[in-house]
Amino acid sequence: MPFDELQVFTDLLSAISLLQDIQIIIKLHPGSRRPHRYDSLIESAETRIILAPQGCTMDSLLAKADLVVGMNSAGLFEAALRGRPVVSYQPGQTRYMDPLMSNRLGLSVPVYSMKKLIPVIKRVLSERLKRPIAAKAYTHSGATKKIISLLESI
């Protein structure tokens, strides 16, 4: 069952509105051709949302992030490799259909239904599921060779 950015964005806003003391910074995909399509959702959200300015780097955002949530982008994989807790929300998918490598490696937490989204976000936030040890295995000496070996074994 396919899903789209608007559905994911709406579901995330609903889930996050039930959490307290959360500051949300959203970085739209750099290739987004319609960045204003989310304006009305952001304005009506019960939670304060800040849109990251264009040109804002992933490095600067990840350095401050307590949690990174998205669908299945390279940004999620990068966040996971940097040891940030990551939730990948792909409604209607299954783990067999999931294209995100960090989910397959256990570096991020996949969620495939709205029903499970809030409990997973709460758990990840409470446990602060950072994985710097796993991330080091893929980002330090011989990283390319290790990734190629891993991909060949899958």
Side-chain angles (χ1 to χ4, degrees):
M1 177 178 189
F3 59 93
D4 64 34
E5 295 171 348
L6 203 53
Q7 175 191 358
V8 168
F9 196 79
T10 302
D11 289 354
L12 286 174
L13 289 181
S14 296
I16 291 169
S17 71
L18 299 174
L19 304 173
Q20 297 177 352
D21 300 323
I22 300 269
Q23 178 182 359
I24 300 168
I25 300 173
I26 294 175
K27 179 169 176 43
L28 297 175
H29 190 281
S32 181
R33 287 175 262 170
R34 295 179 15 209
H36 299 290
R37 74 188 279 199
Y38 305 103
D39 288 351
S40 62
L41 288 171
I42 291 170
E43 290 168 11
S44 65
E46 296 176 26
T47 304
R48 183 168 168 251
I49 298 172
I50 299 167
L51 271 177
Q54 278 190 331
C56 184
T57 66
M58 282 294 286
D59 283 341
S60 63
L61 292 173
L62 291 176
K64 301 173 189 174
D66 292 321
L67 174 68
V68 178
V69 182
M71 294 184 294
N72 58 13
S73 73
L76 292 181
F77 189 67
E78 180 181 350
L81 287 177
R82 290 173 181 246
R84 306 319 302 172
V86 175
V87 172
S88 167
Y89 178 52
Q90 302 176 50
Q93 297 287 74
T94 66
R95 70 184 180 105
Y96 303 105
M97 299 164 56
D98 188 339
L100 190 61
M101 186 56 70
S102 61
N103 286 344
R104 293 181 191 175
L105 297 173
L107 299 174
S108 53
V109 181
V111 179
Y112 305 115
S113 72
M114 177 62 177
K115 178 181 169 185
K116 294 183 180 179
L117 184 59
I118 295 168
V120 168
I121 288 175
K122 284 182 176 180
R123 179 176 60 87
V124 170
L125 281 171
S126 70
E127 294 175 2
R128 300 284 189 234
L129 292 176
K130 296 182 183 180
R131 302 182 187 272
I133 295 169
K136 283 181 183 178
Y138 299 102
T139 59
H140 288 66
S141 65
T144 303
K145 185 184 263 186
K146 290 177 186 175
I147 290 174
I148 290 171
S149 295
L150 178 73
L151 292 173
E152 288 175 341
S153 72
I154 294 177

